[in-house]
Amino acid sequence: MQQNLPMKHLYTSLIVLMSVFGLSAQAQHSVQTSCAHVQHPGQKCPGIMGLPTSVDTFVPPPAAFEANGERAVVINVNYNGFTPQAQTAFQYAVDIWSSLLTSTVPIVIDATWEDIPGNTLGFASASNYFNNIPGEDGSVYFPSALADKLAGFNQAAGQPDIECSFDSGTNWYFGTDGNPSFNQYDFVSVVLHELGHGLGVAGSAFVDNGLGYIGFFSTYSPATYDVYVANGGGADITSFTDGSTTLATQLQSDNLFWTGANAVANNAGINPKMFAPNPYQQGSSYSHLDENTYSAGNINSLMTPSIANGEAIHDPGPIIMGLLEDIGWTTETIVCEGNEVLFSIIPDCYGTETTWQIFNANNVLVASGGPYIDDFPSPNGLALPNNICLEDGCYTFVISDNY
């Protein structure tokens, strides 16, 4: 049975269909959201902006990742207009994600190669959001791929779980070695970023005409992402009134943080900072990590709102992996078949000045980290553990303080 339900602002796009499906005890609401071509005023799909600047940084894939290794989830992609080179790079990004997450239900992606105006390199969203998932809070909405994983079956057979688009006019680097030139954007990094949004790194809150909005339907039911965002004083973002200037102020406060236990633990006990600039930036604010805190070369920089020429990051990073666990994903532990190297970086109060790199005997960069954040909560800094997997051989470790 299908019926009309009260419409509510939605972060990705104009709501084109809302259906109710009969369940044994509760009705399940499905919000179908296609952001590829139709935008709701004041809303925009989470995307990534191309910066005109150039850097030379590379964060490699997770230490034990193998391009042809075992996968704990099947991800199928329907390509529309892609070149063979672009498909190869896209599949490499898919392989990284499929080595890190688990699900018994295959994930389906619709990917489009098209002209995107402005400096947007790509954008993506879950195709559907579902509530009343067995064993979960019935008022909370989960993105399609995650809803399928939690329920153990496909919630919307025949429909994609993620829809994404990438700009056909960008000067892309399609290699998988993380080595774009000074005037190229790394395609693998951008695909990894956008698929992260489709998997659930995206909230429902946004600002339009000075008012802040959050949630689905007239009940303002949150996305699972929304549940874990709070301001610096500890007030949950969901506690602020929908359609209010107060909520708009919070969303533009530069003072929003992730509170989920797994992401916090993966960030040395510090609440990860979210991107919440003033003024609000459509498609960037709220659904990304903070750009200044996790800048190019940082292990957690994949899900920031922008990327520079020459910047490559092929690892979601510990914060995002913890975030995905917080919202409901089960992550896969990859076993190191080489030498597991454990070490800690202890920055002083000026962590943004500290970076490190590891090169193999052929002078190829195999791992890097930093810069870190300033003003750590102790006079002598806080130990930040690192765990990397290295093959037998000789390596050079370089640590820098740019002061």
Side-chain angles (χ1 to χ4, degrees):
M1 178 183 69
Q2 186 180 70
Q3 68 183 64
N4 294 325
L5 294 173
M7 287 185 35
K8 176 69 178 64
H9 292 281
L10 184 64
Y11 79 100
T12 50
S13 65
L14 179 67
I15 298 175
V16 294
L17 174 67
M18 295 182 183
S19 304
V20 176
F21 301 94
L23 298 177
S24 58
Q26 292 177 304
Q28 182 183 56
H29 293 171
S30 164
V31 182
Q32 187 179 38
T33 63
S34 175
C35 69
H37 302 287
V38 182
Q39 301 297 333
H40 188 283
Q43 302 169 327
K44 189 175 181 180
C45 288
I48 188 167
M49 303 293 115
L51 296 174
T53 55
S54 179
V55 300
D56 184 16
T57 61
F58 175 44
V59 177
F65 168 74
E66 296 181 0
N68 298 312
E70 296 183 0
R71 302 290 180 257
V73 60
V74 174
I75 301 179
N76 299 314
V77 184
N78 300 316
Y79 292 103
N80 179 20
F82 282 69
T83 64
Q85 295 91 338
Q87 285 193 35
T88 298
F90 196 111
Q91 184 60 50
Y92 185 79
V94 166
D95 287 342
I96 293 174
W97 275 121
S98 63
S99 72
L100 296 172
L101 302 175
T102 66
S103 178
T104 59
V105 184
I107 298 172
V108 178
I109 300 170
D110 277 2
T112 301
W113 191 250
E114 62 179 329
D115 179 44
I116 302 175
N119 63 338
T120 300
L121 302 178
F123 54 85
S125 76
S127 301
N128 296 276
Y129 275 76
F130 298 91
N131 74 335
N132 287 330
I133 303 300
E136 304 295 333
D137 184 339
S139 67
V140 175
Y141 281 78
F142 294 83
S144 181
L146 178 54
D148 291 352
K149 176 258 187 305
L150 293 171
F153 63 90
N154 196 326
Q155 304 282 310
Q159 297 183 31
D161 298 295
I162 298 171
E163 295 181 63
C164 52
S165 292
F166 299 88
D167 183 47
S168 58
T170 292
N171 184 22
W172 293 109
Y173 178 69
F174 293 118
T176 59
D177 59 356
N179 191 33
S181 69
F182 72 94
N183 64 347
Q184 290 179 309
Y185 294 103
D186 187 64
F187 190 62
V188 171
S189 301
V190 173
V191 174
L192 272 175
H193 176 106
E194 293 309 322
L195 296 187
H197 287 312
L199 291 166
V201 186
S204 70
F206 68 99
V207 175
D208 186 22
N209 291 325
L211 299 178
Y213 299 91
I214 191 168
F216 304 123
F217 299 101
S218 59
T219 57
Y220 318 125
S221 299
T224 183
Y225 178 100
D226 302 324
V227 174
Y228 297 97
V229 178
N231 66 19
D236 294 338
I237 198 68
T238 54
S239 69
F240 295 93
T241 303
D242 179 75
S244 69
T245 57
T246 304
L247 178 56
T249 298
Q250 294 298 320
L251 294 172
Q252 300 171 100
S253 65
D254 193 31
N255 189 39
L256 294 182
F257 299 85
W258 189 262
T259 64
N262 292 292
V264 172
N266 288 357
N267 194 41
I270 301 170
N271 292 89
K273 188 176 183 181
M274 314 309 290
F275 187 63
N278 189 359
Y280 179 86
Q281 297 181 19
Q282 292 187 29
S284 295
S285 292
Y286 186 64
S287 293
H288 291 93
L289 294 177
D290 184 63
E291 183 71 43
N292 292 329
T293 305
Y294 313 105
S295 55
N298 187 293
I299 186 64
N300 292 300
S301 61
L302 178 68
M303 295 306 297
T304 61
S306 59
I307 188 172
N309 289 283
E311 178 181 356
I313 175 165
H314 294 180
D315 189 331
I319 290 177
I320 290 302
M321 293 310 298
L323 183 155
L324 291 171
E325 287 186 276
D326 289 330
I327 67 174
W329 282 102
T330 303
T331 59
E332 180 75 0
T333 300
I334 303 176
V335 178
C336 175
E337 296 182 354
N339 301 287
E340 188 173 18
V341 179
L342 306 175
F343 63 95
S344 293
I345 300 295
I346 307 178
D348 58 16
C349 293
Y350 303 96
T352 52
E353 299 174 354
T354 304
T355 59
W356 58 268
Q357 297 173 308
I358 296 177
F359 299 88
N360 66 16
N362 296 319
N363 203 36
V364 174
L365 180 66
V366 295
S368 63
Y372 302 98
I373 64 174
D374 290 338
D375 298 322
F376 273 78
S378 68
N380 298 316
L382 191 68
L384 301 174
N386 294 270
N387 184 347
I388 61 176
C389 185
L390 297 175
E391 298 177 353
D392 289 345
C394 295
Y395 296 83
T396 301
F397 181 89
V398 179
I399 188 165
S400 303
D401 187 322
N402 66 10
Y403 178 72

